[in-house]
Amino acid sequence: MRSRRLRLLALVAFLTAALVPGAAVFVRPAYACSLYQVDSPGQLVPDSEVIVIGRVVSTAGGSLVLRPEAFLKGPASAEDIALAPNRTDCPTAALNDGDRALIYIADAAKPAFPLITEAYLLADGHATMTGAKARSESEVVAEIRGLTGQYAVPAATAAEGAGIDWGSTIIPLGIALAIIFGIGLILMRVWHRIDPS
């Protein structure tokens, strides 16, 4: 009889925990890292809004500041890119000040410090990513460029690519057009004297 009461009590406790909100014991949710094996440099291209090669300027405070050298996907800019600290418990790429890296950025509006599967460390012509096959830098860049068709280098100075040089193009071209127009008016006047009709 006592065994029957214990079973009934256990069943009531189980049903209460299952059906009544707040009755169950809460456990802190565990977030699993969605890290997966990167087989090729092109694997992350569709999921990335920006792919950039640059030099790490600062890694202070869990954030990262990258000075871009080239863009393989996304809009090119000479401005430093600030990547905020990553909010997950997943392992981040081991990047230090002065390192060159190729970084995949999934959200250009809120770029975050790259995970170990979102950055290649570039050194001595080699590209290395944790858990991925070691490759040459040129091989990685060529594979990504084959998919994006882009290799944009930001302007080195504010004047580079800023517009047309008036002194060496517009003014000489304007003078040449004025001379041709003047010759045309003179020839038209001469022709009008020869044949007034």
Side-chain angles (χ1 to χ4, degrees), residues 122-191:
L122 307 176
D124 301 324
H126 300 289
T128 55
M129 176 188 285
T130 304
K133 176 183 151 189
R135 300 172 182 266
S136 70
E137 180 179 340
S138 59
E139 181 184 354
V140 170
V141 171
E143 186 171 333
I144 294 171
R145 284 186 72 190
L147 295 171
T148 64
Q150 179 179 335
Y151 190 89
V153 178
T157 64
E160 188 177 65
I164 299 172
D165 183 9
W166 284 82
S168 63
T169 55
I170 300 298
I171 293 174
L173 184 63
I175 292 170
L177 287 174
I179 291 171
I180 291 170
F181 184 71
I183 291 170
L185 285 176
I186 292 170
L187 290 175
M188 194 167 77
R189 192 170 198 190
V190 169
W191 179 256

Side-chain angles (χ1 to χ4, degrees), residues 55-67 81-86 92-101 103 113-114 121:
R55 188 164 300 277
V56 177
V57 178
S58 171
T59 55
S63 62
L64 181 138
V65 178
L66 188 75
R67 181 155 297 138
I81 300 171
L83 296 123
N86 210 312
T92 56
L95 297 172
N96 299 311
D97 294 359
D99 287 346
R100 281 187 70 238
I103 297 176
F113 200 107
L121 180 63

Side-chain angles (χ1 to χ4, degrees), residues 2 80 104:
R2 184 174 177 160
D80 289 351
Y104 298 88

